[in-house]
């Protein structure tokens, strides 16, 4: 939301100066990121369908920037291959490097190339779902690798408000430099009054941390959806909220939409009881077997005893 507000200010400044912005920016907020980016994949597949009017718009996207985790120190731009000079990915990388060196000289940004593993159905990074569709894309994250401990943790992690503000400023400045095509490292696109306050970001993080955001609980009427919808409507004229349902025929993940269920617990005998019971049964069957085997001998002994008495 803050990136949208900052870029809106940049576009407004360009329009006021008499220049028409060259780029249209599409912001996409999706859920189910921990579920193999299910919402993003479903949204993209529907937009790129043959009968979709937005298919051509998405196919003409110059670069797709995915934000993974930016609440800690260190920024890494993950891409499928090392950007070539002059490509959109290279221009975006240079925009980030210029923004970081201008605003926070001690901050470094590294490029981490990693090929998409088509044999693995689980994507390592968010941008890979766009890369397989032949779109230039990258993921910005403070994690150096997709296997870094803590990245796949489903629980909220502590966020440094100061670092979050710094990274937000860098990202917004880089986007502004990219769309404005400014390469002068001594000129900042964003003015001081455009930078969000640390208190605002801290309150937003606190609100999101105290709100249920699980993919199974998010609905159109959820409070977090209403909050993001209201925030975006302050800076953009067209906000579309779309909800997706898992395929009933071949779902990638099975969702359980019940928030309250009954739990039944049964008190059963321990496994040792079954062992003792089995021993007792075998002992009983053994005793019956021995009795059956002994019956002929007993009858023979009785018959011989009667025969001796009669003689």
């Amino acid at each position: 939301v803050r990136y949208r507000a900052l870029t809106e200010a940049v576009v407004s400044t360009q329009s006021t100066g008499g220049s028409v912005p060259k780029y249209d920016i599409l912001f996409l907020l999706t859920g189910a990121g921990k579920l193999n980016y299910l919402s993003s994949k479903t949204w993209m597949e529907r937009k790129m369908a043959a009968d979709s009017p937005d298919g051509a718009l998405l196919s003409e996207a110059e670069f797709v920037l995915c934000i993974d985790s930016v609440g800690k120190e260190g920024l890494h731009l993950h891409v499928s291959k090392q950007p070539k000079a002059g490509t959109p990915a290279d221009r975006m990388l240079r925009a980030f490097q210029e923004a970081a060196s201008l605003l926070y000289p001690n901050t470094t940004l590294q490029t981490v190339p990693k090929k998409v593993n088509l044999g693995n159905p689980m994507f390592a990074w968010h941008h890979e779902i766009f890369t397989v569709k032949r779109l230039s894309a990258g993921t910005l994250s403070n994690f150096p690798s997709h296997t870094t401990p803590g990245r796949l943790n489903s629980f909220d992690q502590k966020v440094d408000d100061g670092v979050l503000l710094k990274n937000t400023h860098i990202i917004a400045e880089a986007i502004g430099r990219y769309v404005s095509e400014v390469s002068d490292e001594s000129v900042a696109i964003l003015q001081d009054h455009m930078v969000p306050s640390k208190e605002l970001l801290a309150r937003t993080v606190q609100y999101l941390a105290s709100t249920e955001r699980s993919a199974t609980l998010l609905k159109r009427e959820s409070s977090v959806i209403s909050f993001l919808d209201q925030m975006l409507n302050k800076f953009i004229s067209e906000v579309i909220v779309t909800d997706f349902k898992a395929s009933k025929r071949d779902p990638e993940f099975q969702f359980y939409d019940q928030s309250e269920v009954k739990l039944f617990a049964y008190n059963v005998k321990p496994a040792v009881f079954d062992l003792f019971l089995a021993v007792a049964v075998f002992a009983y069957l053994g005793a019956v077997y021995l009795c059956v085997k002994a019956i002929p001998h007993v009858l023979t002994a009785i018959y011989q005893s009667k025969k001796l008495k009669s003689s």
Side-chain angles (χ1 to χ4, degrees):
V1 174
R2 295 312 307 168
Y3 303 147
R4 181 67 189 93
L6 295 174
T7 51
E8 177 71 15
V10 172
V11 172
S12 300
T13 303
Q14 286 187 331
S15 302
T16 304
S19 60
V20 179
K22 180 181 178 180
Y23 295 95
D24 291 323
I25 304 178
L26 174 65
F27 287 84
L28 177 65
L29 281 68
T30 60
K34 300 295 184 181
L35 301 177
N36 203 22
Y37 310 105
L38 183 59
S39 294
S40 297
K41 287 194 302 181
T42 307
W43 176 86
M44 185 179 60
E45 290 172 355
R46 293 188 179 184
K47 291 298 181 181
M48 298 191 72
D51 56 348
S52 175
D54 300 329
L57 177 63
L58 186 59
S59 62
E60 294 175 357
E62 192 168 289
F63 190 81
V64 180
L65 177 63
C66 304
I67 309 298
D68 182 80
S69 301
V70 292
K72 296 182 179 179
E73 288 287 356
L75 288 177
H76 304 82
L77 183 61
H78 298 271
V79 291
S80 59
K81 60 182 178 180
Q82 191 66 31
K84 295 182 179 180
T87 59
D90 178 65
R91 290 178 47 215
M92 180 61 73
L93 174 60
R94 285 191 286 107
F96 272 110
Q97 292 174 342
E98 293 169 0
S101 62
L102 176 64
L103 301 176
Y104 305 94
N106 295 328
T107 301
T108 59
L109 186 139
Q110 299 177 351
T111 307
V112 184
K114 176 191 172 300
K115 292 184 178 180
V116 181
N117 185 5
L118 299 178
N120 188 356
M122 302 297 292
F123 292 103
W125 294 103
H126 196 173
H127 71 274
E128 292 184 355
I129 66 175
F130 300 96
T131 301
V132 295
K133 298 297 183 180
R134 300 185 181 278
L135 294 175
S136 180
T139 299
L140 192 70
S141 174
N142 54 244
F143 292 107
S145 173
H146 67 285
T147 58
T148 303
R151 180 179 178 269
L152 300 179
N153 192 347
S154 299
F155 298 98
D156 289 334
Q157 301 183 29
K158 186 177 181 180
V159 175
D160 190 324
D161 298 333
V163 175
L164 179 62
L165 174 62
K166 179 184 68 173
N167 291 338
T168 302
H169 194 182
I170 292 175
I171 296 172
E173 174 70 22
I175 295 176
R177 300 181 75 86
Y178 186 94
V179 300
S180 303
E181 298 183 338
V182 174
S183 58
D184 190 349
E185 298 184 7
S186 62
V187 177
I189 299 297
L190 300 181
Q191 305 300 322
D192 293 338
H193 67 277
M194 299 180 183
V195 181
S197 65
K198 182 178 178 179
E199 292 74 15
L200 176 60
L201 289 178
R203 289 197 301 269
T204 304
V205 170
Q206 183 180 6
Y207 169 76
L208 293 176
S210 59
T211 307
E212 295 178 340
R213 307 187 312 279
S214 173
T216 58
L217 300 177
L218 279 180
K219 299 180 180 179
R220 183 182 291 268
E221 61 273 10
S222 299
S223 59
V224 64
I225 300 298
S226 302
F227 169 76
L228 295 174
D229 186 20
Q230 294 174 3
M231 291 290 290
L232 284 172
N233 273 294
K234 294 180 180 179
F235 310 104
I236 191 173
S237 57
E238 184 180 4
V239 178
I240 301 176
V241 180
T242 307
D243 52 351
F244 302 111
K245 294 183 179 180
S247 174
K248 295 182 179 179
R249 180 175 301 177
D250 187 22
E252 185 173 354
F253 294 93
Q254 182 65 46
F255 292 96
Y256 299 93
D257 55 359
Q258 289 182 317
S259 58
E260 294 184 3
V261 295
K262 291 183 178 180
L263 177 64
F264 296 92
Y266 299 93
N267 186 14
V268 298
K269 299 294 183 180
V272 180
F273 174 79
D274 295 335
L275 178 62
F276 284 130
L277 182 62
V279 172
V281 171
F282 280 113
Y284 172 76
L285 293 177
V288 172
Y289 174 78
L290 293 177
C291 291
V292 172
K293 292 286 290 184
I295 288 177
H297 300 285
V298 173
L299 293 177
T300 302
I302 294 175
Y303 175 76
Q304 292 179 350
S305 175
K306 290 183 177 180
K307 187 176 181 180
L308 290 174
K309 289 181 180 180
S310 60
S311 60

